[in-house]
Amino acid sequence: MFEQAGIAVQDELVYTKLHSLIDAAFDSRDVEVFLTRVTKSKLRIRDYESVLRRGFLGKEAVGFYEGLPISDQGLTRERYLRLVEAVPLELRQRYFRIYAYY
């Protein structure tokens, strides 16, 4: 199982705001809408930077992300990918094309 590195967050306020936007996208009530939007844009769900830049995590998310130090950006990508893998299996199978590695 993946274990997150023990790196301290440097910009707690912006980090928290960005993570609340990511958590909202993966909320059980909204995750299907998020996955549909990613599918329509023909992106891969694990391509965090592209999903972020398309505004699927919120318009202000790009500014928050770019304002973070590199270590906080890495922690954010790890959290996003962990949430991508935590999507229920039935949704992952339904949205197979964005989850596929090809």
Side-chain angles (χ1 to χ4, degrees):
M1 191 68 170
F2 175 78
E3 185 176 320
Q4 187 171 358
I7 300 172
V9 175
Q10 295 179 13
D11 189 347
E12 189 72 40
L13 180 63
V14 175
Y15 181 85
T16 304
K17 287 180 182 178
L18 179 56
H19 282 238
S20 68
L21 292 173
I22 293 170
D23 291 343
F26 285 97
D27 183 79
S28 62
R29 297 167 297 208
D30 298 328
V31 70
E32 196 162 357
V33 172
F34 174 65
L35 294 174
T36 300
R37 291 177 69 203
V38 173
T39 300
K40 287 181 180 180
S41 69
K42 298 183 179 168
L43 295 174
R44 299 282 180 233
I45 194 67
R46 292 180 184 91
D47 185 0
Y48 172 71
E49 301 271 337
S50 296
V51 170
L52 176 73
R53 298 208 187 292
R54 285 282 178 97
F56 297 147
L57 300 174
K59 293 178 183 178
E60 61 277 352
V62 175
F64 289 159
Y65 181 72
E66 290 175 350
L68 289 174
I70 298 296
S71 61
D72 291 353
Q73 288 180 358
L75 291 172
T76 300
R77 282 190 304 272
E78 287 177 12
R79 180 180 183 93
Y80 173 82
L81 292 173
R82 202 174 23 213
L83 290 172
V84 164
E85 299 304 323
V87 170
L89 184 59
E90 61 272 4
L91 283 177
R92 292 178 64 177
Q93 289 174 340
R94 191 176 326 150
Y95 292 94
F96 174 78
R97 294 188 61 84
I98 63 172
Y99 272 91
Y101 280 106
Y102 54 83

